[in-house]
Amino acid sequence: MMAPDVNPKLLDLLKCHGAKATFFKTAANIQAYPNPTRRISAEACAPPPRDP
């Protein structure tokens, strides 16, 4: 589950150090928390490809 109060702090920390991270998102969390999801998509690494 996404932690909307923690994710901005974590993204700030990653940005400060020039680091990237991978976040796995569920459809329910994307709908429930659109703003953190947009920021994660803009600043973090894309998730690795999944096998079909």
Side-chain angles (χ1 to χ4, degrees):
M1 180 171 208
M2 212 176 241
D5 58 329
V6 174
N7 284 343
K9 295 174 188 172
L10 178 58
L11 289 169
D12 290 343
L13 184 63
L14 291 168
K15 190 174 186 178
C16 178
H17 291 281
K20 298 285 183 176
T22 300
F23 291 81
F24 292 91
K25 302 168 274 190
T26 64
N29 282 338
I30 290 169
Q31 291 175 347
Y33 308 107
N35 290 332
T37 300
R38 286 188 198 101
R39 185 170 174 201
I40 288 168
S41 296
E43 296 180 16
C45 293
R50 293 174 49 179
D51 292 332

